[in-house]
Amino acid sequence: MSAAAEAAVKKNYLTGLKEAMYEEMERNPDLICLGEDIGLLGGAFGVTDGLMDKYGKERVIDMPIAEAAIIGAGVGMALNGKTVMCEMQFIDFISCGFDQIVNMAATFHYRSAGEVSIPMVIRGPAGGYGGGALYHSQMNEAWFCNSPGLKVVCPSNPIDAKGLLTAALRDPNPVVFYEIKELYRNRKMEQELETGDDCIIPLGVARIAEVGSDITIVTYGNPVHFSLKAAEKLKAQGYSAEVIDLRSLVPLDEDTILESLSKTNRLLVVNEAPMTCGFAGEVMARMGRKGFELLDAPPARVTRTDTPVPWAKPLESTVLPSVDDIVNSALELIRY
Amino acid sequence: MSAAAEAAVKKNYLTGLKEAMYEEMERNPDLICLGEDIGLLGGAFGVTDGLMDKYGKERVIDMPIAEAAIIGAGVGMALNGKTVMCEMQFIDFISCGFDQIVNMAATFHYRSAGEVSIPMVIRGPAGGYGGGALYHSQMNEAWFCNSPGLKVVCPSNPIDAKGLLTAALRDPNPVVFYEIKELYRNRKMEQELETGDDCIIPLGVARIAEVGSDITIVTYGNPVHFSLKAAEKLKAQGYSAEVIDLRSLVPLDEDTILESLSKTNRLLVVNEAPMTCGFAGEVMARMGRKGFELLDAPPARVTRTDTPVPWAKPLESTVLPSVDDIVNSALELIRY
Amino acid sequence: MAKTADPDKAAQKTAPSQTSTGLPREALSPEDYHELLMQLYLARYFDVRLIKEKKRGRLRGTLYSSHNQEAILVGALYALKSTDWISPIHRDMPAFFLKDIKAGWDNPDRLGMSIEEVCSQVWGRVDSPGRARDNWSHIGSRANKIIHSTSMLAGTIPVAAGVVYADRLDGGDAVVVTFNGEGSTSQGVFHEAVNFAAVHKLPVITIVENNHWAFGTPVELECPTPDVADRAKGYGIPGFIADGQDVLDVYDKVSMAIDHARSGKGPSIVECKTFRAYGHGDHDDDRAAKYRPDDEVAKGRSRDPIGVMKNQMIESGMLAKKDAMAHPAEGKGAGEVTDHDFPEKVVKYLSAGVDFALKSPVPDAEEALKWVFAEDED
Amino acid sequence: MAKTADPDKAAQKTAPSQTSTGLPREALSPEDYHELLMQLYLARYFDVRLIKEKKRGRLRGTLYSSHNQEAILVGALYALKSTDWISPIHRDMPAFFLKDIKAGWDNPDRLGMSIEEVCSQVWGRVDSPGRARDNWSHIGSRANKIIHSTSMLAGTIPVAAGVVYADRLDGGDAVVVTFNGEGSTSQGVFHEAVNFAAVHKLPVITIVENNHWAFGTPVELECPTPDVADRAKGYGIPGFIADGQDVLDVYDKVSMAIDHARSGKGPSIVECKTFRAYGHGDHDDDRAAKYRPDDEVAKGRSRDPIGVMKNQMIESGMLAKKDAMAHPAEGKGAGEVTDHDFPEKVVKYLSAGVDFALKSPVPDAEEALKWVFAEDED
Ligand SMILES: Cc1ncc(C[n+]2csc(CCOP(=O)(O)OP(=O)(O)O)c2C)c(N)n1
Ligand SMILES: Cc1ncc(C[n+]2csc(CCOP(=O)(O)OP(=O)(O)O)c2C)c(N)n1
Ligand SMILES: [Mg+2]
Ligand SMILES: [Mg+2]
């Protein structure tokens, strides 16, 4: 197979992440990985598969089941010159290392008046729809959006997965990185991936996933795909929806949303976190303020209900956003 | 002093909390208190002063410095029939017991399909303006508003402090209770307090702190007082501001806000949490949706900047909302 | 029992003995021995049956096998009173129906979950004690004194401590047994909870099922001491060590721990040395074959708890060799074993549970919005 | 040093001795002894000076006094190389300027903070190493190898472990000394961090300043073992016990711990027994008088570390009794002592720091918005 032919191979979301890890480990000898079962096993989902064999167990550390130590030790390594990747086996378990993130890592640069930066990515599989129940389905990004000093990122496809993870691993700040585990091995959305500098997707730049003119659907993660499906359904009814994939929540690309609103005059925000104080509301608040004159209908959101994520399929489906939920909300706004 | 004369005595915020604790300990023999230094010392600020002497060290437990154990053990006691009060010495330290709150306590009733309720109040001193710096100034209520299964409460005055804490201690759900430590001993706002059932302020009912017609200022906690001062200043300029003290965030009294907006057509939300994904944005989002037709100007918020709370006075003043910030935002909205 | 006063002594592995040893097992009757063996069969059959059901396509989701670790569950639970509390985790599914089962497998009044309830949970049906709201081992029952765990490892230990604190305050004498993998003992909340329990001499027994692996991480990377039970030394509490393949040894050590706890002397740790028969979950079987030494499973399987118990019963004359061979489940993997390797009683009992579960409906979609808050009940 | 191999032996209190003991202190010269005494004075003077400044109204905020606990700071820091790291907490303010001060009080190249920087932090001025962004002991300096703590007790221990992990990877031989109160050892993160350090044999020395109180809670309600050093047993690491009033004993035990760490044998705990001279903070002085036994302070103060050191120097002929009495700060509370009780060098040194701080401006209001993210620097 020639190099050109190889470049044309399409790869899944997980491979995107894995390539980012491998390339950055190679490029940056100071990059250290910490996590549960990331070495010998290669990670619960395989994002770090083979990494320990290649780069040694000093740089790829199989940590005890101790999320606070994983993050705290990572901060210490970062303080002493390293770049750090901390894997949470599921992003749900980030609650066990919470204090070290919001009070230790997030604030270090601020309280040291700029002396110390903490280049650190805390990443892990997130999101529902897989029957993971209360503790293997969470999208808890709002906690970190409300904790100053953290960047928050969530890719929806292989290109972004690789590009955003590479950018995050080169960012001098702590980044909480949400991977959509239901997309890890999704074959339908495989993509060709670039390498090194060429693959980078900068943090803070949204992507217009679908161009449209009747309504702006702002979303990220798995709901990007539901929104695109909803856009199709809307098209069948004669309506044109613009779908914006935020890609990073902090920093937020407000301009892209505002520009879209100046065209559509309607805002629907979709995410799978609990509603109250979730990021969907934050987008509504910002656009309600900055885009007030642009809005011809009340901004709306489709989110997880304010409940935990239950297990049994009918229960899970009730609480998580569906394509139909998005279509219905969009129609309501369009017809407003 | 006659009983009537005694009843007329005005008391501070801290006394309100203390009375709620004493009355509920007396009324409910199953009420157990857990916290650091709450027994022998009587609490860092004295909310539980004398309680151990009166009710014994089995019911008022001086816990190790272990927030996860404080909350987890409290959950266990609640599971086995007790009502539990957990004191965080400062609400900032709640981050160290975070998982036990959001994943253990908050979800218990839900995941047990209603078999187990967790009557539990997690309370502690909160808020800035006292030079407490990064770790003694936080208002981190948004984390818990985004974690389904928790009620979230924040009183702004002695009557509410006593009434809401009594209601919270009788609530069958876990309640995170934010006390404004800067108000604890504020002598200017002392109030007469009722006793027992008469003192109860139900959760989910907002209070109109000031009646007005030109703008609605929605707030809670310490900023209620800044908002009232701002309302005075606005009055001097010929404008009439309505100030709504939410008192509880979850559940939220949307009706009172909507009713006010139907009169003022302008919404300003004020709180001292970081802006992004804070509760101010949540109120904007809900009102931007439900009150869309009522709004004549873009809803706005005055919040802490998205920074930690720094120590030195000029720095702290920069990041926290001030009376002038509120006045300026209100004027902008009114003149919109 | 004198032994409890000297945990270090008690912690030694004890061989089954003819002469009086003062060990708790001496109070057991031959009927108890037979019941223990039957429970080992039941726990094993539950596990292999689920694996078979999944292979047959009648079951979805990840299975965390307790195959080969059953002696820990059976031995520990046999030492409890019905009023005692437990908190099982992912690898302890049989514990939910084994609790108090010695009061009669079909006794409707026994505390512990029925096989129908547990199977309904496995299949995500509405008759699960949690109405299929959370998965796998995350069920509980206040009425049956089983604590509802979250996924967060060791996170239930402080809750367990609170449960018995409240019980003691109310004049009860309950102990609580929490089950944990060795990997879970690295969690901060393990320390906070055991420390709190030790300070207040709470009757909290922390069982550590040391199967030498936490998912793909060997115990040496989780725990710096030769024995995980050594963690007890940091709290000045007994750290018992049991042969996790030997139900009688587990029974002895847990009984000592209970005796210690019930007499007001406080918590303890009981490390049960065992090994993991398959991958971490069944999704991990293939990978486990790569990261684990080749001979580990064979070596471990050679001391199958069912076989170990049979041998002891044969030695002490409670079981005829011929009868022991009637149901040769021991030493076999789930793929090799058939229903004939198990006593009929066991197969029937469990089959009833499976049949029930398969007929139990999934919960209604609207239930998802219920019970967020307690007043939602009304 | 043979002693390190046997921490239990080494953990015994050791009396100053004439004959060879093999103790680390034997390598100290009389100049070192005098320097140690001078540093004790300096730490003490820092504390009483701040109390006086507050009484005079020149200082706001809560003071967490290290009065009487200075030997722990001085003894531990004297055992370090300049390339070693430390993380002091609330009761350890003098540690910031005592780090590496043996390299010369006025040596501009020494690692550690200058007295001007530390005083600027106390007064919340812009010349604080953190530009007065966080308060009291929450400063640090990467350049000076001092870790910036948060308020969350024990929360810096995993960070310390990470720091030396990285150092080891880079071929360094640095150890890290974290300072903690005995109450902090109940935190979950203490366990997670020490466990991790023990698994990887990281050179992390956890000093426990056991002053028997965590704010208003006595040690018995925090720790179930007779000695807090017993926590080390749970990790299979040495748990040294030092007389926290005796700077030489602290120096010995910490030196052993460092030797153990630097030779690749891993972490250890050094418990220094001491007592708290005042309330938890100065806001607590009145209440402390109520919750503490009457005679506790008097009893503790009778073994003032300055006095203890003087006696040892007199005994070993390094100090004339008359000279020892020239600056009688020992045994006196902040209210009783005056500048004359301290060597002039100490008063001058610190006064320069105070004068500097009082002239340093408060930071500009706009700085508050800076440095949230690293790119904000540009
Ligand atoms: C706090 C937390 N972190 C991570 C996990 C993911 N996880 C589930 S099981 C497991 C391994 C558990 O190992 P061990 O405690 O030894 O139990 P075993 O599975 O061997 O029985 C891990 C890391 C979790 N459930 N909770
Ligand atoms: C996680 C956390 N919980 C609570 C506190 C509040 N707090 C500050 S100091 C203190 C007591 C500390 O006692 P100890 O560790 O013995 O240190 P000492 O003050 O006696 O030196 C407490 C409870 C805190 N800083 N961090
Ligand atoms: Mg294990
Ligand atoms: Mg102390």
Side-chain angles (χ1 to χ4, degrees), chain D residues 69 91 181-184 209-215 217 276:
Chain D
Q69 303 188 194
R91 206 171 294 294
E182 82 292 345
S184 320
E209 307 166 25
N210 182 0
N211 62 9
H212 298 86
W213 287 94
F215 205 157
T217 302
R276 203 178 73 195

mmCIF file with all atom_site columns, all heavy atoms in Angstrom, chain D residues 69 91 181-184 209-215 217 276, ligand 4:
data_model
loop_
_atom_site.group_PDB
_atom_site.id
_atom_site.type_symbol
_atom_site.label_atom_id
_atom_site.label_alt_id
_atom_site.label_comp_id
_atom_site.label_asym_id
_atom_site.label_entity_id
_atom_site.label_seq_id
_atom_site.pdbx_PDB_ins_code
_atom_site.Cartn_x
_atom_site.Cartn_y
_atom_site.Cartn_z
_atom_site.occupancy
_atom_site.B_iso_or_equiv
_atom_site.pdbx_formal_charge
_atom_site.auth_seq_id
_atom_site.auth_comp_id
_atom_site.auth_asym_id
_atom_site.auth_atom_id
_atom_site.pdbx_PDB_model_num
ATOM   1   N  N   . GLN D 1 69  ? 6.168   25.106 67.935 1.00 0.00 ? 69  GLN D N   1
ATOM   2   C  CA  . GLN D 1 69  ? 6.316   23.981 67.010 1.00 0.00 ? 69  GLN D CA  1
ATOM   3   C  C   . GLN D 1 69  ? 7.489   24.227 66.049 1.00 0.00 ? 69  GLN D C   1
ATOM   4   O  O   . GLN D 1 69  ? 7.653   23.516 65.069 1.00 0.00 ? 69  GLN D O   1
ATOM   5   C  CB  . GLN D 1 69  ? 5.008   23.752 66.237 1.00 0.00 ? 69  GLN D CB  1
ATOM   6   C  CG  . GLN D 1 69  ? 3.824   23.518 67.141 1.00 0.00 ? 69  GLN D CG  1
ATOM   7   C  CD  . GLN D 1 69  ? 2.531   23.085 66.454 1.00 0.00 ? 69  GLN D CD  1
ATOM   8   O  OE1 . GLN D 1 69  ? 1.487   23.130 67.063 1.00 0.00 ? 69  GLN D OE1 1
ATOM   9   N  NE2 . GLN D 1 69  ? 2.588   22.684 65.205 1.00 0.00 ? 69  GLN D NE2 1
ATOM   10  N  N   . ARG D 1 91  ? 0.208   26.152 59.522 1.00 0.00 ? 91  ARG D N   1
ATOM   11  C  CA  . ARG D 1 91  ? 0.945   26.418 60.756 1.00 0.00 ? 91  ARG D CA  1
ATOM   12  C  C   . ARG D 1 91  ? 2.456   26.490 60.524 1.00 0.00 ? 91  ARG D C   1
ATOM   13  O  O   . ARG D 1 91  ? 3.248   26.472 61.471 1.00 0.00 ? 91  ARG D O   1
ATOM   14  C  CB  . ARG D 1 91  ? 0.597   25.350 61.809 1.00 0.00 ? 91  ARG D CB  1
ATOM   15  C  CG  . ARG D 1 91  ? 0.758   25.820 63.251 1.00 0.00 ? 91  ARG D CG  1
ATOM   16  C  CD  . ARG D 1 91  ? 0.193   24.825 64.254 1.00 0.00 ? 91  ARG D CD  1
ATOM   17  N  NE  . ARG D 1 91  ? -1.239  24.660 64.176 1.00 0.00 ? 91  ARG D NE  1
ATOM   18  C  CZ  . ARG D 1 91  ? -2.130  25.602 64.460 1.00 0.00 ? 91  ARG D CZ  1
ATOM   19  N  NH1 . ARG D 1 91  ? -1.739  26.803 64.865 1.00 0.00 ? 91  ARG D NH1 1
ATOM   20  N  NH2 . ARG D 1 91  ? -3.425  25.367 64.344 1.00 0.00 ? 91  ARG D NH2 1
ATOM   21  N  N   . GLY D 1 181 ? -0.724  18.633 59.707 1.00 0.00 ? 181 GLY D N   1
ATOM   22  C  CA  . GLY D 1 181 ? -1.178  18.413 61.072 1.00 0.00 ? 181 GLY D CA  1
ATOM   23  C  C   . GLY D 1 181 ? -1.653  16.977 61.211 1.00 0.00 ? 181 GLY D C   1
ATOM   24  O  O   . GLY D 1 181 ? -1.938  16.299 60.221 1.00 0.00 ? 181 GLY D O   1
ATOM   25  N  N   . GLU D 1 182 ? -1.769  16.511 62.454 1.00 0.00 ? 182 GLU D N   1
ATOM   26  C  CA  . GLU D 1 182 ? -2.213  15.127 62.646 1.00 0.00 ? 182 GLU D CA  1
ATOM   27  C  C   . GLU D 1 182 ? -3.645  14.942 62.163 1.00 0.00 ? 182 GLU D C   1
ATOM   28  O  O   . GLU D 1 182 ? -4.013  13.865 61.679 1.00 0.00 ? 182 GLU D O   1
ATOM   29  C  CB  . GLU D 1 182 ? -2.060  14.707 64.121 1.00 0.00 ? 182 GLU D CB  1
ATOM   30  C  CG  . GLU D 1 182 ? -3.174  15.126 65.075 1.00 0.00 ? 182 GLU D CG  1
ATOM   31  C  CD  . GLU D 1 182 ? -3.213  16.632 65.293 1.00 0.00 ? 182 GLU D CD  1
ATOM   32  O  OE1 . GLU D 1 182 ? -2.244  17.330 64.960 1.00 0.00 ? 182 GLU D OE1 1
ATOM   33  O  OE2 . GLU D 1 182 ? -4.251  17.118 65.802 1.00 0.00 ? 182 GLU D OE2 1
ATOM   34  N  N   . GLY D 1 183 ? -4.443  15.995 62.263 1.00 0.00 ? 183 GLY D N   1
ATOM   35  C  CA  . GLY D 1 183 ? -5.833  15.872 61.826 1.00 0.00 ? 183 GLY D CA  1
ATOM   36  C  C   . GLY D 1 183 ? -5.958  15.629 60.332 1.00 0.00 ? 183 GLY D C   1
ATOM   37  O  O   . GLY D 1 183 ? -6.867  14.936 59.874 1.00 0.00 ? 183 GLY D O   1
ATOM   38  N  N   . SER D 1 184 ? -5.035  16.178 59.581 1.00 0.00 ? 184 SER D N   1
ATOM   39  C  CA  . SER D 1 184 ? -5.087  16.069 58.124 1.00 0.00 ? 184 SER D CA  1
ATOM   40  C  C   . SER D 1 184 ? -4.911  14.641 57.640 1.00 0.00 ? 184 SER D C   1
ATOM   41  O  O   . SER D 1 184 ? -5.239  14.320 56.497 1.00 0.00 ? 184 SER D O   1
ATOM   42  C  CB  . SER D 1 184 ? -3.983  16.919 57.497 1.00 0.00 ? 184 SER D CB  1
ATOM   43  O  OG  . SER D 1 184 ? -3.857  18.137 58.172 1.00 0.00 ? 184 SER D OG  1
ATOM   44  N  N   . GLU D 1 209 ? 2.837   16.958 62.192 1.00 0.00 ? 209 GLU D N   1
ATOM   45  C  CA  . GLU D 1 209 ? 3.019   17.776 63.390 1.00 0.00 ? 209 GLU D CA  1
ATOM   46  C  C   . GLU D 1 209 ? 1.873   17.447 64.317 1.00 0.00 ? 209 GLU D C   1
ATOM   47  O  O   . GLU D 1 209 ? 0.794   18.013 64.209 1.00 0.00 ? 209 GLU D O   1
ATOM   48  C  CB  . GLU D 1 209 ? 2.981   19.259 63.025 1.00 0.00 ? 209 GLU D CB  1
ATOM   49  C  CG  . GLU D 1 209 ? 3.955   19.631 61.915 1.00 0.00 ? 209 GLU D CG  1
ATOM   50  C  CD  . GLU D 1 209 ? 3.658   21.021 61.327 1.00 0.00 ? 209 GLU D CD  1
ATOM   51  O  OE1 . GLU D 1 209 ? 3.056   21.862 62.023 1.00 0.00 ? 209 GLU D OE1 1
ATOM   52  O  OE2 . GLU D 1 209 ? 4.022   21.244 60.163 1.00 0.00 ? 209 GLU D OE2 1
ATOM   53  N  N   . ASN D 1 210 ? 2.110   16.511 65.210 1.00 0.00 ? 210 ASN D N   1
ATOM   54  C  CA  . ASN D 1 210 ? 1.024   16.097 66.101 1.00 0.00 ? 210 ASN D CA  1
ATOM   55  C  C   . ASN D 1 210 ? 0.971   17.004 67.319 1.00 0.00 ? 210 ASN D C   1
ATOM   56  O  O   . ASN D 1 210 ? 1.654   16.779 68.323 1.00 0.00 ? 210 ASN D O   1
ATOM   57  C  CB  . ASN D 1 210 ? 1.198   14.641 66.515 1.00 0.00 ? 210 ASN D CB  1
ATOM   58  C  CG  . ASN D 1 210 ? 0.046   14.190 67.399 1.00 0.00 ? 210 ASN D CG  1
ATOM   59  O  OD1 . ASN D 1 210 ? -0.876  14.964 67.693 1.00 0.00 ? 210 ASN D OD1 1
ATOM   60  N  ND2 . ASN D 1 210 ? 0.084   12.939 67.824 1.00 0.00 ? 210 ASN D ND2 1
ATOM   61  N  N   . ASN D 1 211 ? 0.141   18.027 67.228 1.00 0.00 ? 211 ASN D N   1
ATOM   62  C  CA  . ASN D 1 211 ? -0.045  18.940 68.361 1.00 0.00 ? 211 ASN D CA  1
ATOM   63  C  C   . ASN D 1 211 ? -1.306  18.574 69.136 1.00 0.00 ? 211 ASN D C   1
ATOM   64  O  O   . ASN D 1 211 ? -1.811  19.345 69.936 1.00 0.00 ? 211 ASN D O   1
ATOM   65  C  CB  . ASN D 1 211 ? -0.062  20.405 67.897 1.00 0.00 ? 211 ASN D CB  1
ATOM   66  C  CG  . ASN D 1 211 ? -1.210  20.684 66.941 1.00 0.00 ? 211 ASN D CG  1
ATOM   67  O  OD1 . ASN D 1 211 ? -2.099  19.841 66.749 1.00 0.00 ? 211 ASN D OD1 1
ATOM   68  N  ND2 . ASN D 1 211 ? -1.217  21.858 66.343 1.00 0.00 ? 211 ASN D ND2 1
ATOM   69  N  N   . HIS D 1 212 ? -1.800  17.378 68.858 1.00 0.00 ? 212 HIS D N   1
ATOM   70  C  CA  . HIS D 1 212 ? -2.900  16.779 69.619 1.00 0.00 ? 212 HIS D CA  1
ATOM   71  C  C   . HIS D 1 212 ? -4.255  17.428 69.430 1.00 0.00 ? 212 HIS D C   1
ATOM   72  O  O   . HIS D 1 212 ? -5.246  16.970 69.999 1.00 0.00 ? 212 HIS D O   1
ATOM   73  C  CB  . HIS D 1 212 ? -2.555  16.689 71.115 1.00 0.00 ? 212 HIS D CB  1
ATOM   74  C  CG  . HIS D 1 212 ? -1.372  15.808 71.357 1.00 0.00 ? 212 HIS D CG  1
ATOM   75  N  ND1 . HIS D 1 212 ? -0.072  16.271 71.292 1.00 0.00 ? 212 HIS D ND1 1
ATOM   76  C  CD2 . HIS D 1 212 ? -1.279  14.480 71.592 1.00 0.00 ? 212 HIS D CD2 1
ATOM   77  C  CE1 . HIS D 1 212 ? 0.753   15.259 71.508 1.00 0.00 ? 212 HIS D CE1 1
ATOM   78  N  NE2 . HIS D 1 212 ? 0.054   14.161 71.684 1.00 0.00 ? 212 HIS D NE2 1
ATOM   79  N  N   . TRP D 1 213 ? -4.318  18.457 68.656 1.00 0.00 ? 213 TRP D N   1
ATOM   80  C  CA  . TRP D 1 213 ? -5.605  19.084 68.362 1.00 0.00 ? 213 TRP D CA  1
ATOM   81  C  C   . TRP D 1 213 ? -5.715  19.399 66.880 1.00 0.00 ? 213 TRP D C   1
ATOM   82  O  O   . TRP D 1 213 ? -4.757  19.886 66.273 1.00 0.00 ? 213 TRP D O   1
ATOM   83  C  CB  . TRP D 1 213 ? -5.770  20.403 69.151 1.00 0.00 ? 213 TRP D CB  1
ATOM   84  C  CG  . TRP D 1 213 ? -6.007  20.151 70.606 1.00 0.00 ? 213 TRP D CG  1
ATOM   85  C  CD1 . TRP D 1 213 ? -5.054  20.111 71.579 1.00 0.00 ? 213 TRP D CD1 1
ATOM   86  C  CD2 . TRP D 1 213 ? -7.258  19.880 71.239 1.00 0.00 ? 213 TRP D CD2 1
ATOM   87  N  NE1 . TRP D 1 213 ? -5.636  19.823 72.787 1.00 0.00 ? 213 TRP D NE1 1
ATOM   88  C  CE2 . TRP D 1 213 ? -6.991  19.688 72.616 1.00 0.00 ? 213 TRP D CE2 1
ATOM   89  C  CE3 . TRP D 1 213 ? -8.580  19.777 70.787 1.00 0.00 ? 213 TRP D CE3 1
ATOM   90  C  CZ2 . TRP D 1 213 ? -7.993  19.393 73.543 1.00 0.00 ? 213 TRP D CZ2 1
ATOM   91  C  CZ3 . TRP D 1 213 ? -9.583  19.487 71.703 1.00 0.00 ? 213 TRP D CZ3 1
ATOM   92  C  CH2 . TRP D 1 213 ? -9.292  19.299 73.077 1.00 0.00 ? 213 TRP D CH2 1
ATOM   93  N  N   . ALA D 1 214 ? -6.841  19.106 66.326 1.00 0.00 ? 214 ALA D N   1
ATOM   94  C  CA  . ALA D 1 214 ? -7.196  19.618 65.014 1.00 0.00 ? 214 ALA D CA  1
ATOM   95  C  C   . ALA D 1 214 ? -8.312  20.623 65.295 1.00 0.00 ? 214 ALA D C   1
ATOM   96  O  O   . ALA D 1 214 ? -9.426  20.215 65.636 1.00 0.00 ? 214 ALA D O   1
ATOM   97  C  CB  . ALA D 1 214 ? -7.680  18.501 64.108 1.00 0.00 ? 214 ALA D CB  1
ATOM   98  N  N   . PHE D 1 215 ? -7.969  21.880 65.251 1.00 0.00 ? 215 PHE D N   1
ATOM   99  C  CA  . PHE D 1 215 ? -8.907  22.925 65.666 1.00 0.00 ? 215 PHE D CA  1
ATOM   100 C  C   . PHE D 1 215 ? -9.465  22.529 67.037 1.00 0.00 ? 215 PHE D C   1
ATOM   101 O  O   . PHE D 1 215 ? -8.687  22.463 68.005 1.00 0.00 ? 215 PHE D O   1
ATOM   102 C  CB  . PHE D 1 215 ? -10.012 23.081 64.617 1.00 0.00 ? 215 PHE D CB  1
ATOM   103 C  CG  . PHE D 1 215 ? -10.685 24.452 64.592 1.00 0.00 ? 215 PHE D CG  1
ATOM   104 C  CD1 . PHE D 1 215 ? -11.334 24.907 63.438 1.00 0.00 ? 215 PHE D CD1 1
ATOM   105 C  CD2 . PHE D 1 215 ? -10.693 25.278 65.704 1.00 0.00 ? 215 PHE D CD2 1
ATOM   106 C  CE1 . PHE D 1 215 ? -11.954 26.156 63.398 1.00 0.00 ? 215 PHE D CE1 1
ATOM   107 C  CE2 . PHE D 1 215 ? -11.316 26.526 65.671 1.00 0.00 ? 215 PHE D CE2 1
ATOM   108 C  CZ  . PHE D 1 215 ? -11.954 26.954 64.518 1.00 0.00 ? 215 PHE D CZ  1
ATOM   109 N  N   . THR D 1 217 ? -10.838 19.559 67.873 1.00 0.00 ? 217 THR D N   1
ATOM   110 C  CA  . THR D 1 217 ? -11.054 18.111 67.980 1.00 0.00 ? 217 THR D CA  1
ATOM   111 C  C   . THR D 1 217 ? -9.780  17.418 68.433 1.00 0.00 ? 217 THR D C   1
ATOM   112 O  O   . THR D 1 217 ? -8.726  17.578 67.808 1.00 0.00 ? 217 THR D O   1
ATOM   113 C  CB  . THR D 1 217 ? -11.510 17.557 66.610 1.00 0.00 ? 217 THR D CB  1
ATOM   114 O  OG1 . THR D 1 217 ? -12.703 18.241 66.214 1.00 0.00 ? 217 THR D OG1 1
ATOM   115 C  CG2 . THR D 1 217 ? -11.787 16.064 66.693 1.00 0.00 ? 217 THR D CG2 1
ATOM   116 N  N   . ARG D 1 276 ? 0.164   22.661 70.905 1.00 0.00 ? 276 ARG D N   1
ATOM   117 C  CA  . ARG D 1 276 ? -0.224  23.921 70.301 1.00 0.00 ? 276 ARG D CA  1
ATOM   118 C  C   . ARG D 1 276 ? -0.234  25.000 71.377 1.00 0.00 ? 276 ARG D C   1
ATOM   119 O  O   . ARG D 1 276 ? -0.912  24.850 72.393 1.00 0.00 ? 276 ARG D O   1
ATOM   120 C  CB  . ARG D 1 276 ? -1.615  23.757 69.689 1.00 0.00 ? 276 ARG D CB  1
ATOM   121 C  CG  . ARG D 1 276 ? -1.961  24.722 68.590 1.00 0.00 ? 276 ARG D CG  1
ATOM   122 C  CD  . ARG D 1 276 ? -3.364  24.416 68.044 1.00 0.00 ? 276 ARG D CD  1
ATOM   123 N  NE  . ARG D 1 276 ? -4.391  24.823 68.995 1.00 0.00 ? 276 ARG D NE  1
ATOM   124 C  CZ  . ARG D 1 276 ? -5.660  24.439 68.932 1.00 0.00 ? 276 ARG D CZ  1
ATOM   125 N  NH1 . ARG D 1 276 ? -6.083  23.635 67.985 1.00 0.00 ? 276 ARG D NH1 1
ATOM   126 N  NH2 . ARG D 1 276 ? -6.527  24.856 69.838 1.00 0.00 ? 276 ARG D NH2 1
HETATM 127 MG MG  . MG  E 2 .   ? -3.116  19.370 64.964 1.00 0.00 ? 4   MG  E MG  1
#
